[in-house]
Amino acid sequence: MSAADHINPDASLWHWLAFDLRRYRQARKQSVTEVGRVMGVARTSVSNFEAMRRRPDVDHLKRLDAAWRTGGHFLRLLTFARLNHDPNWFKEHLFYEARARMLRIFEPLIIPGLLQTEDYARLAIVAEAGGASEKTEADLKLRMDRQGLLTRKDPPRLHVLLDEGVLDRPVGGPDIMRRQLARLLEVSELPNIVLRVRPRSAGYHVGLMGAFKIMTCAPEGEVAYTEAAEGGRLVLDGTGVARFVTRFDDIGAECLSRSASREMLKRAMEAMR
């Protein structure tokens, strides 16, 4: 196993760029010679890029993004690396979310953005920003537009685990909460969506440490995104992602079944009257 397979999530963005060059190439089963032809460089240059002995330039990565249809992933990494600052992890994770074949989401506090009603989402966005601003409507539109992936022609498999506190935490009053819970009931009936609730009676669990999402994409495999008060973090290394997979499985082990979770949703709706 190469050093790139052990990349530290706190390493520089140059490490991330080199790591992804190798990972994407190997996932496509392409040789350094073949990738060199795409980038317009010699095979030795590709090896040097992956080993961080040399750095690719804009033209090289533009060609690679176009050939591999990455949506500009490598050019973004290069831009951030040159500026020497962290990327917008949330925006970067949307690239993976939109292409995911499977999404696993755990949320201990609020309804996940992909399942929020417009009224609930607006209140959440305003609260997250510390008040309404000129960006509120644009952020709301982005959140609502993201939900289109759940009903597209070839939707991803979505497996959502919620802590029971999410259901009875009043957001915006009874009417908004009833509509939001009705929305959860509605989507839980879709064939590509599994929604389960971890009851409060199960006690303390590791999920209370924070929300996270695991996205299964091609060719990257599994990528995790974990949320935090001042911005989230994208986890790309295999060892780090594996810890989130284990955490998801541990949380799910004591969740209610799909049908029992729907019954709990119905009771929560009644309690909002």
Side-chain angles (χ1 to χ4, degrees):
M1 188 171 287
S2 68
D5 295 313
H6 295 285
I7 189 169
N8 185 326
D10 296 322
S12 76
L13 290 167
W14 291 110
H15 284 86
W16 184 4
L17 178 56
F19 172 68
D20 267 12
L21 279 171
R22 176 172 295 180
R23 183 169 63 150
Y24 276 56
R25 176 180 64 78
Q26 292 177 338
R28 288 170 170 78
K29 294 181 171 55
Q30 292 185 341
S31 68
V32 290
T33 300
E34 291 170 320
V35 175
R37 293 194 193 104
V38 172
M39 299 178 77
V41 299
R43 64 182 300 277
T44 53
S45 294
V46 177
S47 295
N48 286 331
F49 295 155
E50 292 183 354
M52 290 186 60
R53 290 187 292 266
R54 288 185 56 195
R55 292 176 176 177
D57 64 25
V58 170
D59 287 339
H60 299 150
L61 298 182
K62 276 185 176 179
R63 293 190 188 105
L64 199 60
D65 281 329
W68 287 351
R69 299 182 181 180
T70 68
H73 173 69
F74 287 102
L75 190 56
R76 280 196 300 275
L77 282 181
L78 177 66
T79 301
F80 287 128
R82 286 179 169 179
L83 291 173
N84 195 32
H85 66 69
D86 288 336
N88 182 328
W89 296 118
F90 176 77
K91 184 176 180 181
E92 186 71 20
H93 112 276
L94 295 181
F95 167 74
Y96 296 100
E97 180 187 84
R99 298 185 302 108
R101 300 193 310 267
M102 180 169 69
L103 293 161
R104 283 168 282 182
I105 299 173
F106 170 69
E107 179 56 67
L109 298 173
I110 65 171
I111 306 296
L114 287 175
L115 301 180
Q116 291 175 2
T117 64
E118 186 169 325
D119 288 337
Y120 188 106
R122 181 180 282 105
L123 287 166
I125 288 168
V126 170
E128 291 160 8
S133 70
E134 65 277 3
K135 286 186 58 188
T136 299
E137 291 306 312
D139 289 344
L140 178 63
K141 184 178 185 304
L142 172 62
R143 189 166 298 186
M144 294 296 101
D145 288 348
R146 285 167 54 205
Q147 297 181 5
L149 67 87
L150 299 179
T151 53
R152 68 192 182 196
K153 184 177 179 180
D154 184 24
R157 177 84 171 168
L158 175 64
H159 192 165
V160 179
L161 304 180
L162 301 177
D163 187 84
E164 183 181 352
V166 173
L167 308 183
D168 55 24
R169 178 170 292 107
V171 176
D175 289 342
I176 288 177
M177 281 304 299
R178 277 198 300 273
R179 289 194 293 272
Q180 177 60 74
L181 295 172
R183 167 67 175 159
L184 293 182
L185 275 172
E186 176 187 0
V187 298
S188 73
E189 299 288 349
L190 294 175
N192 59 307
I193 295 179
V194 173
L195 191 152
R196 298 170 63 213
V197 179
R198 177 153 177 146
R200 191 176 285 107
S201 59
Y204 180 85
H205 57 92
V206 68
L208 296 177
M209 295 170 63
F212 61 91
K213 178 186 303 182
I214 304 164
M215 299 160 283
T216 304
C217 307
E220 299 90 347
E222 292 179 330
V223 176
Y225 177 73
T226 178
E227 297 182 3
E230 294 299 324
R233 180 170 67 92
L234 200 60
V235 180
L236 294 161
D237 69 297
T239 302
V241 175
R243 286 195 292 267
F244 282 99
V245 172
T246 299
R247 185 177 297 182
F248 190 87
D249 290 343
D250 288 346
I251 295 167
E254 294 197 47
C255 283
L256 300 175
S257 68
R258 297 172 74 176
S259 58
S261 295
R262 290 191 190 103
E263 291 304 313
M264 180 174 279
L265 280 168
K266 293 173 184 177
R267 291 196 297 272
M269 287 179 66
E270 288 297 321
M272 291 291 172
R273 295 189 181 278

